[in-house]
Amino acid sequence: MATADISTMAIAGLHHPPTSHDLAISLAVYNSLPHPEEQPEVSDDTLKALGELFVRHGVHDIFGIHLLHGHFAAPESTVLFGVQFQVSGASQACWTKPVPAAELATESIHGHVFRLQSDRTFVPYEFHEGEAGSKAANTGPAFFQKLADFLHCNGLADLIALQLLDGPRDKTNMELLAGPQGTVMMDEKDLIGFSPPRITTGWSFKVGDDGIISCKGNDVYAEKKDTHQVFQDSKPFTTVEALKEALRAEGIKP
């Protein structure tokens, strides 16, 4: 199969708005992903090498990495789309669920997580509101080429995705299942009495004053609340208020 020349192509949802064709590919990519429990751990050596690559290209404040995973089969003609909502005070959370692609045709959206395909192109499979920041949109092709080479040569294209960093990195976000087809990502400090087993699904990199590169697991996935599935058997939530009420009912949100 011929490989794409990343130096001459733009990434949908990052360098240009996604087309209807891009959204259809995104759905197919998401629906092919394994559950997080089915993925092996990302090794310390891999995290170290990726941290060095991101810092070398000066993108560690823009991008991080993500454990490739999905939670459900999204319906036809939809795309995974996340919206921010206020939890309490100044605290924000992100609710992600399948949204009809036609509803997003005229909206401003950007890619949040990107999978490397076999032709060495990056495809977004989860989108967020608004345009990508200028730093991300202006990132040169050399970084994407080197990352594609690293993932391909080390057999990591089915394990690691590229993630656009949103919000502060000094906290840990916990991902919970919200209804049969949705997730909510919240600051773990906003969760009350909630300490289930967790799987790290997102990492970012930082350079200290001493020049040492550190890696932080910013995102974690919790499959269960104690012994109960979190919202998994519920009906789909149709509004943010319905989701917030369910969080309160579960006793994990004030």
Side-chain angles (χ1 to χ4, degrees), residues 152-166:
H152 177 77
C153 293
N154 290 281
L156 297 169
D158 292 329
L159 179 63
I160 292 174
L162 178 67
Q163 178 173 327
L164 182 60
L165 298 176
D166 289 334

Side-chain angles (χ1 to χ4, degrees), residues 132-147:
S134 59
K135 288 185 178 180
N138 293 326
T139 298
F143 164 68
F144 301 108
Q145 182 68 65
K146 290 297 184 181
L147 178 60

Side-chain angles (χ1 to χ4, degrees), residues 120-133:
R120 306 285 187 96
T121 60
F122 285 96
V123 171
Y125 63 84
E126 180 180 327
F127 294 87
H128 282 185
E129 299 174 284
E131 296 181 355

